[in-house]
Amino acid sequence: MVFKLIRAGRKLADLKKGLESSIELEKYMEKRKNIGNRHPLHEDIEILNKYIDYIRFSRPASLAYDAPPLEKEEDEHDILPKRGKTTLPIAYVQDVLLYPERWSGHHVIIDGELEHVNTNRKGERWHRFKDHTGTVIAMSRHEIKGNKGTLFGVARQTPAGKQLFLEIKNFHPSES
């Protein structure tokens, strides 16, 4: 697992260094021409994306994110400016429902309220998720208590392509 990640990172770093010389650029273009439509780094990019998704949406990662931050002593010689809290790119239910082709298969992060509706024979738990712009159906494979919070998931279309739902990867209840 770690070796694949290191190999993919090294390959990307080597390519970046190699593109700075004309000889390496010609080798890269020749390799890309032989592959066709697939990018030469396609497999490595997929490996990196898989680990990024694991870090973002896995249960152990969510537990690590919820841990209290370590206190750091302030250095009076610190020359970097202080930054405020960074915010995640947040979508709205209305955005996802109005443009299903654009959002289908992509990760979404939405603040709202989750309510459990039904559990089917396959063990899928169906929920109603709503925010101030609308309501959408969401599906999870694990038990989630209905509450206000932030949903991390993937927008999916039904096989017929007529309806859109959210596949819940993680849900963080809000503090209040």
Side-chain angles (χ1 to χ4, degrees), residues 16-86:
K16 182 184 177 293
K17 289 178 188 173
L19 292 178
E20 294 172 358
S21 75
S22 60
I23 297 170
E24 293 296 322
L25 180 61
E26 288 175 14
K27 288 180 184 176
Y28 171 76
M29 294 306 290
E30 187 64 33
K31 186 176 180 182
R32 184 167 181 163
K33 186 170 56 172
N34 292 337
I35 292 175
N37 289 340
R38 278 186 62 171
H39 194 276
L41 299 172
H42 178 75
E43 179 184 331
D44 300 310
I45 292 169
E46 282 183 352
I47 289 169
L48 293 171
N49 283 334
K50 183 175 103 174
Y51 287 110
I52 289 169
D53 287 346
Y54 175 78
I55 290 169
R56 287 178 66 196
F57 299 114
S58 70
R59 186 163 186 78
S62 69
L63 294 174
Y65 291 143
D66 290 341
L70 299 173
E71 291 187 25
K72 178 183 167 188
E73 292 182 18
E74 298 213 14
D75 185 10
E76 57 188 56
H77 301 294
D78 193 9
I79 59 172
L80 297 175
K82 305 288 184 217
R83 291 187 184 178
K85 187 175 182 180
T86 59

Side-chain angles (χ1 to χ4, degrees), residues 96-97 100 103-104 136-137 155-158 162-166:
V96 176
L97 292 176
W103 287 95
S104 181
V136 68
I137 298 300
R156 302 275 186 212
Q157 281 187 319
T158 57
K162 294 182 180 180
Q163 295 178 339
L164 185 111
F165 66 95
L166 299 177

Side-chain angles (χ1 to χ4, degrees), residues 114-119 124-128 143-144 146:
L114 189 70
E115 175 187 343
H116 180 74
V117 176
N118 190 11
T119 304
E124 299 170 337
R125 292 161 178 86
W126 292 92
H127 305 270
R128 184 178 300 124
E143 186 69 33
I144 300 175

